[in-house]
């Protein structure tokens, strides 16, 4: 019983952290990630709270010459950060 209660507690904490992160994302216009993160992780960065799905931020990525494959979600590439 003790291990099960602890597991349920950890699950509730994790779920509340996700809800907080999703709520914070609704206040942002965009979230900037590096090109390698975009290429290898392809993060969603969306809000999954019921009724707020349309308030997800734009996914921003600096254009550094690293090829990023087309994904299901839109990316905005910002200039050429590789140029000095």
């Amino acid at each position: 019983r003790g291990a099960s209660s602890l597991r349920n507690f950890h699950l509730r904490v994790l779920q509340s952290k996700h809800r907080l992160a999703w709520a914070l994302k609704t206040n942002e216009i965009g979230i900037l990630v590096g090109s390698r993160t975009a290429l290898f992780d392809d993060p969603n960065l969306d809000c999954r709270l019921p009724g707020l799905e349309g308030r997800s931020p734009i996914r921003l990525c600096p254009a550094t010459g690293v090829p990023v494959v087309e994904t299901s979600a839109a990316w905005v590439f910002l200039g050429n950060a590789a140029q000095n």
Side-chain angles (χ1 to χ4, degrees):
R1 177 182 161 125
S4 177
S5 295
L6 184 59
R7 196 170 28 253
N8 287 337
F9 172 76
H10 286 294
L11 181 60
R12 285 194 312 273
V13 168
L14 181 62
Q15 289 171 340
S16 67
K17 287 181 179 181
H18 284 159
R19 283 193 295 271
L20 175 61
W22 295 329
L24 290 172
K25 290 176 188 175
T26 65
N27 294 320
E28 303 302 327
I29 294 172
I31 296 178
L32 179 69
V33 299
S35 56
R36 289 193 166 297
T37 299
L39 177 63
F40 294 114
D41 295 338
D42 191 21
N44 284 330
L45 305 176
D46 57 350
C47 176
R48 299 176 194 164
L49 293 174
L52 295 175
E53 299 90 345
R55 298 200 43 200
S56 294
I58 299 167
R59 301 186 318 165
L60 303 169
C61 179
T64 60
V66 175
V68 178
V69 295
E70 282 293 321
T71 63
S72 58
W75 282 95
V76 175
F77 294 94
L78 306 171
N80 187 351
Q83 291 180 352
N84 290 329

